[in-house]
Amino acid sequence: MTTITTNSSRSTGTRATRVLGVVAIVLMTWVVVSGLFVTPADAVQLDSVRIMYVHVPSAWIAYLAFITTGIASGISVVRRHRSLGFDRVAGASAEVGVLFMAITLVTGSLWGRLTWGTFWQWDPRLTTTAFLFVTYVGYLAIRRLDATPQQRARRSSILALLAVLEIPLVHFSVVLWRSLHQEASVLNTDGDVRLDGLMLFTLFSGVLAFSAAFAWFVIHRQRVAALDDLRLTSGLDAALVERRAEAVTQ
Amino acid sequence: MRRTAAAVFRKDVLVELRSRALLTRVVPFAVLVLVLFAIALDSEPLVLRAGAGLVWMTTLFSALVVVQRSFEVERRDGALDVLKTLGVDGAALFVGKAAALIVQLLALVVVLLAGAVVLYGVNVEPSALVLLVTTAVLGSCGLGLVGTLYGGLVSGTSSRDTLLPLLLMPVTAPVLIGATRATESAFGGDVTDATTAWAWVGLLAVFCVLFAVAGAMSFGPLLDSDS
Amino acid sequence: MVDVRDAVVAMGGFPALAGATLDVREGDIVVLAGPNGAGKTTLLRLCAGLVTPVRGSAQVFGLDVAEQRDAVRRRVGFLGHANGLYGELTTRENVAFHAALVGASNDEVDAALQRMNLAGRAADVTVARLSAGQRRRCALANIVVRRAGLWLLDEPHAGLDSDARAELDETLLSARRSGATIVLASHDLERLGNLRPRIVRIQSGIVVSDTAAGASTTGVAP
C-alpha cells in the first residue's frame, strides 16, 4: 500500500507550483506578444505562419505527455513501492496530453487550410498525432472503469506500455506509406518556412512556456488524484468500523 | 506451458467448430460487406483498384466480432474465472487463444480473397501467390495477436463492446496499411511494386513478433486486474 | 492448510471482509454459514487466491495468497456460482480440457467422471443438455481431475432440486473419504446434516462463531 502524504493547506498548490505557474504565465505572455506582433510574417504564408507558435510547441508537448505516461507506467509496473503514485502521474499526464494533442490537430488542420486550402493532409506527423489522440482517448476511457486504484494502475499501465510499442509502429507505417506518394514533400506546412533568429527564439520560448504549463497541470492533476485515492482509503477505514459494529449488534 | 497453450487452442477451436458461428454468421456477414462495398462504390475500375483495401477492412470489422465472441464464450459460464483459479500461465493462455483466433481469421481472409477474385474481377498471377499467402498469414497473425490482447484487456468491463473498436483502431493501422499494400501488389496493381510489397511484409512480421512477445508478457497481469 | 488472520478485503471502498480469521486443517469439512452479503463468497475467493487482502494475511498450503497467487490457485479447486463449463463441448471434453491443463491422463478423466456419476450416457452429451445437478457435478469433476487438495465451493447446492442435492452430498462425502478438504459456503444449513461439518458463522465480514473445539473466534463478545 502506498502512503499518501498531504500538506495541511486546502488546495493542491505549493510554493513550487506557484513559482512554476508564474513562470508559465510570463513565458506564455511573451510568446503571445512576440508571436502575434513582434515576429515578422512569412514571405509566402504571410500571417498564417503565426499558427506555428502554437502548433509546434503543442505537438512537442503531446509527445512529451506520451513519453511521460509511458515512463511513469513502466515504473508503476516494475516497482511495487509507490507504484500507485506513478500511475497517477501517468493518468494526469495523459489527460493533459490529450488536450495538447487536440490542440495540435486543430491548429495543424487550420494551418493546412490557410496555406494549402485543405483541412487535412496525410502527413506523418499529423496522422500519427491523430492515432495518438485516439489511443489516449481509449486509455482514459479504460482508466475510468476500475473500482480500485490497484486494478486501475495495472490495467492502464499495461495499456500505456502497449501504446509505447504501437505508436512508433504506426508512425513508421504512415511514413513509409506517404513516401510512396510524391506529394508528401510538398504538403509539409512547416517545411517551407524560413526561420530567422527572432522566430526561432519565440518558437523555443513557446516550447518552454507550454512545457511549464504542462508540468503545472500535471502536478496539480496528480495531486487531485492522490486526494481522490486517499478519500477512498480513508473511506475504507470508516466503513470497516461501521461493518464490524454491525456484526456485534446482530 | 506448451501443453497449456495446446489445450487452450484445441478447446477454442473445438468450441468454434461446434457452434459454427464463424461459418454461419461471420463469413456471410463479411461476404455481404464485400458485396455492399462494390454496390456503394459503383464503378468497376474503382472497386478493382480498392479490392485489397476492402478485403482487409472487412477482415478487420469481422475480427472485432470474432474476438468478442472468443471472450464471450469464456464469460458465459464464468469459464475465464475458472481458468484464473487454476493458476494457468497467462502467456500460455494468450498463445492458445491467439492461435485459435488466427486460424479463424486466416480462414476468413482466404474466403474474402476468393470473394475479391470472384466479385471484383481481381486476377492473381501464380508468381504473386507466395506474396499473397505470406501476407494473408502475417496479416491474420497481426490481427489475431492484438485482437486477443486487447480483447482480454476489455473483457469483463461494462463497456467492452464500444471500447474494443476504439482501442483496436490505432493498433491495427500498421497491419491494415501493410497488408493492403502487399495484397495490392499481389493483385497486380501498379501502385506498389514487388520490392516495396516485401518491405511491407517485413513490417507485418516485425509487428507480429513484437505483439506476440508483448501479449505473452502482459496477458497474465491483465487478467489479474479483474479481481 | 488454510490460515487466514484478520483479513480485510476491499471491493472498491467497501470492506467485504472486515478482519476475518479462519483456520482449516487437512481433512476438515467446513461450512461457512451466514446471511447474504456476509462475506462468505469473499472469504472463499480469498482462500482460492482470487482476491488479496489489503490488511491482515492469508496463507493456504503454507503459501501466501498475496505473494504466491498462482501457486495457491494451482492447488485449490474453486467452484463459484457459475460452473465454468463450455456449453458446446461434451461433459467428457470439458473434463478432458481441465485434465490437459494439468497433464492428467484419459484414465483420470474416466475416473473423475465415474466418481461424479457422470460416466455412461452423460459423458458424451453436450453440457448444455445436462441438468443443473449434472452440470454442477461436471464442474466438480473438473476439480477432481486437477487433483486439487482443497475444495472451495460457493453454495454448491444452490439451484438444485432435492434429488440433485442428495446426490451432491453423497459426492462430497465420498470426496472427503478420499482425503479432500472441503470448505463450502451456504446460507441454508438444514440440508447439510449428514455431512456433520464444522460450522463457521460469518457476519458482516468477520467470523462470529466456530463449532470446532478449541477454535479461536475473533474475540467479539458473545
Side-chain angles (χ1 to χ4, degrees):
Chain A
M1 275 289 281
T2 52
T3 49
I4 303 164
T5 51
T6 51
N7 55 28
S8 55
S9 80
R10 300 179 57 188
S11 81
T12 53
T14 56
R15 213 168 73 136
T17 59
R18 276 187 257 282
V19 168
L20 188 61
V22 167
V23 166
I25 291 178
V26 165
L27 281 175
M28 205 70 88
T29 317
W30 158 244
V31 170
V32 167
V33 164
S34 170
L36 283 179
F37 304 115
V38 179
T39 56
D42 181 61
V44 175
Q45 294 189 24
L46 306 176
D47 275 319
S48 63
V49 78
R50 298 184 193 277
I51 293 186
M52 168 181 72
Y53 298 117
V54 178
H55 174 74
V56 172
S58 294
W60 160 251
I61 299 301
Y63 285 90
L64 179 65
F66 166 63
I67 292 170
T68 307
T69 301
I71 293 180
S73 296
I75 299 179
S76 169
V77 163
V78 168
R79 291 182 58 164
R80 296 200 84 208
H81 182 53
R82 297 185 89 90
S83 76
L84 287 181
F86 279 103
D87 175 64
R88 283 190 285 268
V89 169
S93 167
E95 282 190 24
V96 180
V98 159
L99 174 67
F100 283 99
M101 288 169 203
I103 294 176
T104 307
L105 290 172
V106 167
T107 52
S109 175
L110 285 176
W111 198 5
R113 174 73 172 145
L114 287 172
T115 27
W116 301 110
T118 50
F119 275 111
W120 188 261
Q121 306 125 182
W122 293 99
D123 79 293
R125 185 168 71 206
L126 219 51
T127 312
T128 306
T129 309
F131 277 111
L132 187 60
F133 179 70
V134 174
T135 305
Y136 269 69
V137 168
Y139 172 83
L140 291 175
I142 286 280
R143 278 188 78 85
R144 302 185 59 147
L145 290 177
D146 285 307
T148 68
Q150 285 81 5
Q151 284 173 336
R152 181 192 67 205
R154 175 172 286 158
R155 213 196 287 254
S156 44
S157 313
I158 292 177
L159 186 57
L161 290 175
L162 287 175
V164 168
L165 183 62
E166 150 216 336
I167 293 294
L169 277 171
V170 167
H171 184 72
F172 186 67
S173 307
V174 177
V175 165
L176 199 56
W177 171 46
R178 295 317 296 174
S179 71
L180 299 175
H181 296 254
Q182 277 82 359
E183 326 96 71
S185 52
V186 178
L187 281 182
N188 190 357
T189 13
D190 49 34
D192 291 336
V193 176
R194 288 198 353 215
L195 300 170
D196 74 2
L198 188 57
M199 294 168 92
L200 208 53
F201 180 68
T202 310
L203 204 56
F204 184 65
S205 325
V207 170
L208 273 182
F210 276 52
S211 301
F214 170 74
W216 190 87
F217 278 123
V218 170
I219 292 175
H220 277 282
R221 180 65 187 92
Q222 67 90 17
R223 283 185 187 161
V224 170
L227 290 174
D228 265 340
D229 287 347
L230 187 65
R231 186 166 49 101
L232 205 65
T233 344
S234 54
L236 177 64
D237 282 322
L240 253 177
V241 171
E242 231 182 86
R243 192 146 149 89
R244 291 184 68 105
E246 240 173 61
V248 176
T249 56
Q250 278 178 20
Chain B
M1 148 72 176
R2 200 181 313 151
R3 171 186 72 202
T4 310
V8 171
F9 172 72
R10 285 186 59 222
K11 182 262 297 175
D12 269 10
V13 169
L14 200 56
V15 168
E16 182 46 53
L17 283 178
R18 288 285 168 77
S19 72
R20 282 190 280 261
L22 188 69
L23 199 59
T24 58
R25 296 206 291 273
V26 179
V27 167
F29 163 72
V31 172
L32 184 64
V33 171
L34 273 191
V35 170
L36 286 176
F37 269 135
I39 295 174
L41 292 177
D42 190 30
S43 143
E44 278 192 40
L46 186 58
V47 166
L48 182 59
R49 162 90 175 77
L54 296 177
V55 164
W56 285 102
M57 281 293 293
T58 311
T59 308
L60 181 56
F61 291 149
S62 313
L64 287 174
V65 174
V66 179
V67 168
Q68 291 286 35
R69 237 197 80 73
S70 165
F71 284 94
E72 204 48 48
V73 161
E74 305 288 345
R75 283 224 93 72
R76 214 185 303 140
D77 198 16
L80 197 62
D81 250 1
V82 170
L83 284 181
K84 270 176 10 190
T85 69
L86 305 187
V88 162
D89 180 21
L93 190 54
F94 175 74
V95 169
K97 281 199 94 60
L101 188 56
I102 290 170
V103 164
Q104 293 175 58
L105 288 178
L106 187 56
L108 183 63
V109 170
V110 166
V111 169
L112 288 176
L113 286 174
V117 168
V118 167
L119 293 171
Y120 298 165
V122 163
N123 240 326
V124 181
E125 299 294 317
S127 56
L129 216 49
V130 174
L131 176 62
L132 193 60
V133 168
T134 316
T135 308
V137 169
L138 284 177
S140 310
C141 280
L143 290 179
L145 286 167
V146 294
T148 308
L149 181 52
Y150 283 76
L153 198 140
V154 304
S155 92
T157 65
S158 47
S159 20
R160 58 185 174 274
D161 289 321
T162 42
L163 269 180
L164 188 64
L166 178 64
L167 290 178
L168 273 186
M169 182 196 121
V171 184
T172 51
V175 177
L176 196 64
I177 299 176
T180 306
R181 295 285 90 78
T183 309
E184 253 170 25
S185 168
F187 281 175
D190 47 2
V191 181
T192 323
D193 61 65
T195 343
T196 324
W198 283 104
W200 285 112
V201 170
L203 176 70
L204 287 178
V206 168
F207 184 92
C208 289
V209 167
L210 286 177
F211 274 98
V213 172
M217 283 172 44
S218 24
F219 208 63
L222 262 182
L223 290 183
D224 271 345
S225 64
D226 264 344
S227 56
Chain C
M1 194 181 266
V2 174
D3 183 14
V4 176
R5 287 178 207 220
D6 285 321
V8 173
V9 173
M11 309 293 217
F14 176 72
L17 281 186
T21 297
L22 179 68
D23 169 32
V24 176
R25 274 155 300 224
E26 192 170 340
D28 274 0
I29 183 165
V30 177
V31 169
L32 302 179
N36 284 330
K40 309 187 295 291
T41 302
T42 312
L43 184 53
L44 283 175
R45 289 175 69 91
L46 178 64
C47 297
L50 294 177
V51 294
T52 46
V54 297
R55 312 249 174 99
S57 72
Q59 301 221 328
V60 178
F61 291 111
L63 303 165
D64 186 270
V65 156
E67 303 290 322
Q68 295 155 293
R69 272 160 87 154
D70 278 348
V72 168
R73 290 180 189 181
R74 276 193 278 271
R75 297 187 59 179
V76 308
F78 175 81
L79 180 60
H81 294 289
N83 291 320
L85 304 174
Y86 298 101
E88 294 93 347
L89 303 185
T90 67
T91 316
R92 184 185 298 276
E93 282 164 350
N94 265 282
V95 181
F97 171 58
H98 284 254
L101 291 177
V102 297
S105 67
N106 276 332
D107 287 339
E108 292 184 61
V109 172
D110 286 329
L113 288 171
Q114 193 84 293
R115 273 177 68 179
M116 293 298 133
N117 226 334
L118 290 170
R121 251 205 72 238
D124 298 304
V125 169
T126 60
V127 160
R129 309 211 346 232
L130 293 180
S131 71
Q134 287 172 314
R135 265 183 255 146
R136 195 54 57 83
R137 296 203 313 271
C138 181
L140 286 177
N142 287 340
I143 294 180
V144 167
V145 90
R146 282 188 339 247
R147 315 175 194 129
L150 174 64
W151 292 22
L152 302 166
L153 312 176
D154 194 0
E155 308 210 14
H157 296 87
L160 302 185
D161 63 30
S162 55
D163 284 340
R165 285 170 180 233
E167 274 182 344
L168 187 59
D169 285 345
E170 265 311 301
T171 311
L172 292 179
L173 266 176
S174 88
R176 204 262 203 101
R177 266 181 253 126
S178 319
T181 308
I182 303 178
V183 179
L184 61 99
S186 173
H187 66 266
D188 168 20
L189 282 184
E190 290 164 5
R191 292 244 58 249
L192 302 169
N194 58 341
L195 292 177
R196 284 208 306 263
R198 172 179 147 206
I199 298 181
V200 170
R201 285 192 185 276
I202 302 204
Q203 201 140 50
S204 299
I206 58 179
V207 171
V208 293
S209 75
D210 188 336
T211 59
S216 58
T217 64
T218 54
V220 174

